[in-house]
Structures are given as C-alpha cells and as structure tokens.
Amino acid sequence: MTAPVLDNERARRLFLDRHALLEPPSGPARGDALMALIHRLGFVQVDSINTVERAHHMILWSRRQSYRPADLKRLLERDRALFEHWTHDASVIPAEFFPYWRLRFRRDAERMLARWTAWQGPEFHDKVEDVLAHIRAGGPCGSGEVGTDEQRGKGGWWEWHPSKTALEYLWRTGALCVCHRRNFAKVYDLAERVLPEAHRLPEPAEAATVDWACDAALDRLGFATSGEIAAFWDLVTPQEAKDWCDRALARGAVTEVRIENHDGSLRRCLAWPGLADAAAALPAPANRVRILSPFDPALRDRKRAERLFGFHYRIEVFVPEPQRRFGYYVFPVMERDRLIGRIDAKCLRAEGALAVTAFWPEAGIAMGAGRLARLEAELARLGRFTGCQEVRFSAGWLRAA
C-alpha cells in the first residue's frame, strides 16, 4: 500500500501549528499559560547573545507578545516549574520531564568522566568531590567562587579551570542544577535543593525513557524520520529511535506518510494515524509578520526548515566578517506560513532605538506596500518589547530580492 502524501502547504501548516506559530501571537503569557506554551514546544533554547533580545525571550515573545522576561524568571527561579539542561543545546525544560533526563545524566557521566579527565588532567577529577562538598556546605555558587587559587584563562570553554570543569560536570550529570543566573552566568546548587519533588522521583526504566522521548518528539514534530525523532531531545540514540519506530510501525501505532517538500520532492516519514485529517482541520495562518530568533525551535533543524520552506539559513556569528553573506546575527522573518526573508537589526539601548541595517527578502518575495507595512509594524512591536521606542532604518536597508 502506497503511503499517503501530505502536500507542502499542509505540511508547513501542521509543523507550524506544532510549534505554536500558526495562531496569532496573542493571549496570556504568564504562569500556567506560559507553562502550557513551553510544554507544547517541549523546551526553549537558552542563548547569551543579546543583539536585540536573548533567544529564549524572543522565542516566547514571537508566540505570545504579552510575554515579558520576568514571567520566565518566575517559573524558573521561584516556582521551579522548569529546569535548565541540555537537549541539542542548553535549554529550559519542564521540571516534570526531569526523571527522563536521568538516562542522559548517567550516560554523560560515563562518557564525560574519561574525556574531561583526559582534557583537564587528574586535577579536574580530584576537584569533583571538593566542589560538591563546597556547595553542600555553603550553598549556591558560580564558577567565580570555586577554584580561586587555580590559574584562569580568558573565559573560553577550552580554558576552564579545574573547579569550573567540575561544576559543569556535576551539572551535566545531574548532581547540580542551575538555581539562577547572575548577569547570565550560571549559579549552581544541589539538585535535591533546587528540584526537591522531581529529584525524589525514581529513574524510569531505560525502555520507558525511550518510549517517552520518541512519543513526545513525534507529538511535537507532527511527522518525522527516526533520525529527526532522536535529534529532537537528543536524549536517545539514533538506533534506539529507529528500533522504536520499527516496533511502532509493526503494531500499527504509527503510519508511513510522504511529505511534499518545497521543491516538490517527497520524503518518507512516520506520523500518528489521522495526520491528513488533523492537517486539513487546521485554520489558515495568522496574517502577521513575525521576527524569529535564529534559535527558534521551528528552525532548530536547519535541513528540515530548508526542505519544508525552501529557506536556507546559517548563523554567521562565527564567520569572519569579510566572509559573511548577511550579518553577525540575522533574524529570520516569517509571514503567515512562509519564511520571507531575514533582517539585520540591533538594539541601541543607550539611545532607545532599534537599528535596522538591512532586510533581504527571499527570491520571489515582492515588498509591496502591505507587506512592508506589516514588517514595519512588527519591528515597532519588537522595539517596544526590548525597550526601544524608535525604529531607526539605515539608508538602503530594503535590499533587492
């Protein structure tokens, strides 16, 4: 039997609905409402770059424009409804998922102890218990408060001093949690003090963690290959995800579907039964322009975004300036259910201005009066969110498609 085809428009809309980007970016964004949004996404990537606003805040604002950074801080630091750890990168994650991360803690401990001891030498290994004892007795601390007698580099990860490495090791392996951030630097405490209820829960069986991770990834992706399912949380191995898919397919829990890509080619994926009906029932996308974080979950898998939207995006932070095609930190721009371009903008906070250097529309995107007005309105909203009352456009900012 030939797998059914989900056309590109419906595939895009289903994917965006799973990422809370189909509906208007309105509604409440505090407390339970914000928690429900984060749960729907699964996680929100944390990043330090503050050209306009940090990634985690932009991700949430682009979906609920009533969101304010203090709302996330309350969930993280007061309510302890979230914890910070790794998915594909550093992220905030619902605390109820913490037991499933124990598999990652255990596997990371096995992998990292040998690797980081080889990197740092026996000094790192010797510091692990010292750092743990220091926090147990003295309470939360950051990397500047341990290893004060150790030689320090300039701050790159390859120049961590042994006690800083021990802190990160203890966090990555679950003994510590990030309890808050101080000027965006992590401050750690014992996991049982930060997340007492979640910490008391036993580790699920390994098979149960694999089942949960694959189920939850497919829920949030809508359709996926086994590799995409494994990569979503980066919690289980590609082979574990493939075996889960094979078992689910054999018992009829999932079905094969062919997804039409932007170029008309078809990609075989798995989905829950009823995918086509679910896609057909979705409303039309909101007639809005949105400025997305480069680390938005809808763009996390760059290859998937390129297949679905025909949008090739690479962040150029680490590209030498003369070799950049666009700019240091360029934001993808979405209109309705299409990615229509990218914009180079920066907050000049001392001047209260959002400075727009350039907007590059995608090929075939005409910047008529209506579309331009929607883009400028969104820039004004972004400016207000970041405390900039003026949007300042450079000469020639609107580039040719």
Side-chain angles (χ1 to χ4, degrees):
M1 178 176 169
T2 303
V5 173
L6 190 66
D7 67 69
N8 182 251
E9 180 181 70
R10 290 187 178 183
R12 290 196 318 270
R13 292 185 177 186
L14 185 97
F15 180 64
L16 292 176
D17 176 69
R18 294 297 190 269
H19 288 78
L21 286 171
L22 199 65
E23 68 259 32
S26 57
R30 303 180 68 185
D32 290 345
L34 181 57
M35 194 65 217
L37 174 61
I38 296 170
H39 194 283
R40 178 176 173 183
L41 298 174
F43 59 87
V44 175
Q45 183 172 340
V46 174
D47 192 75
S48 63
I49 296 175
N50 200 19
T51 303
V52 172
E53 183 52 275
R54 289 191 169 107
H56 39 295
H57 298 315
M58 281 204 69
I59 288 166
L60 296 169
W61 174 82
S62 66
R63 290 155 172 81
R64 300 288 185 273
Q65 290 190 350
S66 64
Y67 167 79
R68 295 296 178 268
D71 302 327
L72 182 63
K73 184 179 177 72
R74 277 191 290 272
L75 289 178
L76 266 167
E77 297 181 11
R78 185 193 70 181
D79 301 344
R80 300 301 186 194
L82 301 165
F83 73 105
E84 186 176 330
H85 214 272
W86 281 76
T87 52
H88 67 290
D89 212 317
S91 302
V92 291
I93 306 161
E96 67 189 87
F97 299 169
F98 184 83
Y100 296 111
W101 256 250
R102 292 186 184 278
L103 176 62
R104 182 176 195 131
F105 299 157
R106 182 161 45 80
R107 289 178 174 177
D108 278 357
E110 295 167 0
R111 177 178 58 85
M112 291 167 61
L113 186 60
R115 195 181 76 179
W116 283 20
T117 301
W119 162 41
Q120 283 282 346
E123 294 86 356
F124 146 66
H125 193 274
D126 295 342
K127 292 291 182 181
V128 169
E129 285 303 321
D130 291 346
V131 167
L132 195 57
H134 176 86
I135 292 175
R136 186 178 290 118
C141 78
S143 61
E145 299 158 72
V146 293
T148 55
D149 59 337
E150 297 167 15
Q151 184 176 352
R152 293 166 185 259
K154 297 179 181 179
W157 71 267
W158 59 92
E159 292 182 323
W160 288 354
H161 57 84
S163 292
K164 160 69 172 173
T165 310
L167 268 176
E168 289 286 324
Y169 173 80
L170 289 164
W171 171 56
R172 291 284 297 270
T173 58
L176 301 180
C177 277
V178 176
C179 59
H180 61 274
R181 283 181 177 260
R182 186 188 301 136
N183 297 324
F184 207 69
K186 294 193 288 287
V187 178
Y188 307 85
D189 199 359
L190 300 179
E192 60 262 35
R193 293 202 290 237
V194 178
L195 296 172
E197 293 182 11
H199 189 267
R200 281 195 293 268
L201 296 173
E203 180 182 345
E206 198 164 290
T209 296
V210 172
D211 284 345
W212 174 86
C214 294
D215 278 357
L218 189 54
D219 283 346
R220 289 163 176 82
L221 291 168
F223 49 85
T225 64
S226 64
E228 290 167 341
I229 288 171
F232 183 83
W233 304 106
D234 197 20
L235 192 60
V236 300
T237 68
Q239 187 61 51
E240 286 169 332
K242 183 180 184 304
D243 292 344
W244 179 89
C245 289
D246 290 345
R247 293 192 300 270
L249 192 60
R251 68 175 187 272
V254 300
T255 185
E256 288 190 346
V257 62
R258 289 178 295 165
I259 302 298
E260 183 186 24
N261 294 321
H262 183 266
D263 64 2
S265 63
L266 299 178
R267 181 174 173 83
R268 189 174 295 273
C269 292
L270 296 179
W272 301 119
L275 180 77
D277 291 340
L282 291 172
N287 189 24
R288 290 284 293 262
V289 165
R290 303 182 206 236
I291 298 170
L292 303 180
S293 165
F295 298 110
D296 194 279
L299 299 166
R300 179 196 64 78
D301 186 335
R302 308 287 195 217
K303 292 181 180 178
R304 182 181 174 101
E306 189 166 355
R307 284 193 299 269
L308 280 177
F309 299 96
F311 186 76
H312 177 83
Y313 182 83
R314 297 293 181 271
I315 195 163
E316 296 182 299
V317 168
F318 302 110
V319 176
E321 187 171 358
Q323 299 174 29
R324 290 177 189 150
R325 182 179 176 192
F326 298 107
Y328 171 78
Y329 196 78
V330 172
F331 300 86
V333 179
M334 175 174 284
E335 182 184 42
R336 295 173 62 85
D337 60 354
R338 292 186 179 277
L339 289 158
I340 64 165
R342 62 205 81 204
I343 195 160
D344 187 0
K346 181 178 182 179
C347 280
L348 305 177
R349 290 181 172 83
E351 302 173 35
L354 177 65
V356 178
T357 302
F359 172 72
W360 296 269
E362 287 290 278
I365 297 295
M367 294 305 294
R371 178 169 284 144
L372 187 58
R374 287 191 290 274
L375 174 59
E376 291 177 349
E378 187 70 355
L379 286 166
R381 286 188 286 265
L382 178 59
R384 290 192 293 273
F385 172 62
T386 57
C388 297
Q389 297 307 310
E390 177 191 359
V391 179
R392 189 179 297 170
F393 295 92
S394 296
W397 72 278
L398 188 57
R399 306 297 174 86

